[in-house]
Amino acid sequence: MRNVTLFLLGMAALAALPAVVRTQEAGYPVTLIPPGKGPYTFPADYQTPWEKIQIMVTAKMSPNLFVLHGSEGLDPAHPDASGGRVMVLFGPDGVLMVDSENRQVAEKTLAALRSFTTAPIRILVNTHVHGDHTGANAFFAKQGALIYAQENLRNEMLRQPPRANGQPVPAPDMAGVPLVTYTYNPATQGEPAVTFHMNGETVDFIPMMPSHTAGDTIVRFRRGNAIYIEDFYRNFGYPFADQANGGSIKGMLEAIDLFDKVSGPETTLIPGHGTLIKKKDLQPYRAMLIDIMARVRTLRDQGKSLKDVLAANLTAPYDKTTMGDTQQSKDRFITEVYDEVKDFPPVVDGKRTMPTHPQ
Ligand SMILES: [Zn+2]
């Protein structure tokens, strides 16, 4: 009798466990410090005071999956919160990081990480090539991180496009160049290229189509029900497709549509910048991209110059709901669309040879 009771109790306990753990742990996610809303203004000769910027734990997706981000109001590239978000999974199997933040704050990023874990740093994945996401790569490689990324990202890092003033960019620190690469394959869109089983989590590196750049990766944490979606989406400032690094507005639309496959309605999506969102929040952004592309295409087909198209102020209907809607952000977005709707150069080794526009 006693054995039967134990057996039944055991069955009841098993039945109480879901087949797959899909829901976030109770009480998560938690936002500790949301990004600022602005508006922000900086004098023309302003230089970012890196010494004043703090790197803080700004959100927690689970008891061992934290988000780091920089302080508000100091960095004109990202005034709502300096730099690009970093995610840290930690525990007995070591640390897995997503992105490495700006080089200038490397020690502070490490100190923030060391405020909650002493585990060895083992894995770093880069979501895209920009310095606010890869700047401290070499620093964290020296801490022990093995760096993963799309092969295109590695190519972009090794052969940076010349600066706007025509000056070549200095050669990268080879210690910060990804050692492990994988590629995006349209036939297996949305499938992970790499999966890690660490610290009770399952982490998928999912290579993306050319969207923010040609080397993008999103990082899914299955148990924490969270995905780092990098910068193809943004809700502070207008969209940015880095076309010289292979980015594409059309690819950003494809990226959005992929979320029906890779995420659920309650999955927390963590952009590189701006506020945390859910899948449904991608839809107004998608509609804006489609609307602006159609309007710019019409004007371009009519033979309008870039100057005319910029003067048409096509983003006006969106300014009220777009934080960080500076003139520079609008003009960059419209110029990207103008270049994309006609004679858009192909991606070669992670790059496109984009036309230049005289000021
Ligand atoms: Zn970024």
Side-chain angles (χ1 to χ4, degrees):
M1 185 63 194
R2 186 160 170 266
N3 281 345
V4 172
T5 309
L6 276 178
F7 173 76
L8 287 175
L9 278 173
M11 288 301 284
L14 274 179
L17 281 175
V20 182
V21 181
R22 283 190 192 283
T23 48
Q24 275 135 322
E25 196 139 342
Y28 292 91
V30 190
T31 295
L32 304 168
I33 307 169
K37 293 186 166 75
Y40 304 94
T41 51
F42 297 92
D45 60 347
Y46 183 85
Q47 300 278 329
T48 303
W50 294 106
E51 72 287 354
K52 286 190 189 155
I53 288 171
Q54 296 176 3
I55 301 295
M56 306 158 289
V57 178
T58 57
K60 297 180 177 181
M61 295 299 117
S62 80
N64 66 337
L65 179 59
F66 290 5
V67 179
L68 310 182
H69 209 174
S71 29
E72 175 191 354
L74 293 168
D75 175 357
H78 295 294
D80 56 327
S82 176
R85 282 192 173 91
V86 169
M87 289 189 74
V88 183
L89 172 70
F90 59 98
D93 301 325
V95 167
L96 179 150
M97 292 175 72
V98 183
D99 287 343
S100 65
E101 257 286 3
N102 283 302
R103 177 182 48 78
Q104 293 91 334
V105 294
E107 282 83 2
K108 292 183 211 179
T109 304
L110 179 64
L113 185 154
R114 286 291 172 234
S115 72
F116 56 81
T117 179
T118 55
I121 297 171
R122 296 180 66 189
I123 309 293
L124 166 61
V125 57
N126 288 148
T127 65
H128 63 283
V129 73
H130 294 152
D132 53 337
H133 296 259
T134 63
N137 269 14
F139 176 88
F140 282 101
K142 284 167 197 155
Q143 300 290 325
L146 183 61
I147 307 176
Y148 287 68
Q150 261 208 64
E151 190 172 306
N152 273 341
L153 184 151
R154 190 172 195 278
N155 286 331
E156 289 158 9
M157 205 177 258
L158 291 174
R159 290 187 289 280
Q160 306 237 19
R163 294 199 171 113
N165 61 11
Q167 293 292 309
V169 172
D173 182 344
M174 287 308 291
V177 175
L179 284 184
V180 190
T181 61
Y182 45 84
T183 54
Y184 165 69
N185 177 356
T188 55
Q189 207 177 61
E191 300 294 325
V194 179
T195 297
F196 275 96
H197 304 270
M198 283 175 76
N199 304 316
E201 240 317 341
T202 306
V203 189
D204 295 318
F205 300 172
I206 303 175
M208 297 294 274
M209 62 293 292
S211 41
H212 180 53
T213 71
D216 292 13
T217 294
I218 60 170
V219 183
R220 179 172 61 193
F221 298 88
R222 292 193 215 171
R223 188 163 181 205
N225 200 14
I227 306 180
Y228 189 109
I229 65 165
E230 43 96 14
D231 292 8
F232 73 81
Y233 168 88
R234 70 174 51 206
N235 59 27
F236 191 94
Y238 277 100
F240 176 36
D242 180 357
Q243 295 161 320
N245 277 315
S248 153
I249 306 270
K250 254 191 223 145
M252 285 161 46
L253 287 168
E254 283 177 46
I256 291 164
D257 293 341
L258 191 63
F259 277 75
D260 280 331
K261 190 169 167 184
V262 299
S263 68
E266 290 308 314
T267 307
T268 304
L269 307 185
I270 299 144
H273 313 275
T275 59
L276 309 188
I277 59 165
K278 305 280 187 198
K279 188 167 77 171
K280 67 171 174 21
D281 300 315
L282 295 170
Q283 289 311 312
Y285 184 78
R286 183 182 190 278
M288 174 179 72
L289 292 175
I290 289 174
D291 176 42
I292 296 289
M293 278 193 103
R295 287 173 194 276
V296 172
R297 189 190 304 274
T298 301
L299 293 178
R300 198 158 179 190
D301 286 349
Q302 290 167 3
K304 296 275 197 275
S305 68
L306 174 61
K307 205 172 155 219
D308 294 338
V309 177
L310 290 172
N313 197 16
L314 298 175
T315 54
Y318 302 101
D319 288 349
K320 212 181 271 174
T321 49
T322 304
M323 287 186 292
D325 59 321
T326 60
Q327 195 60 45
Q328 189 221 12
S329 169
K330 293 177 207 185
D331 288 354
R332 180 173 72 177
F333 174 43
I334 296 298
T335 304
E336 288 159 22
V337 180
Y338 184 86
D339 285 339
E340 184 153 337
V341 295
K342 197 175 170 203
D343 304 328
F344 192 38
V347 177
V348 178
D349 284 343
K351 303 194 168 297
R352 297 181 203 274
T353 310
M354 294 305 294
T356 50
H357 299 287
Q359 298 292 310

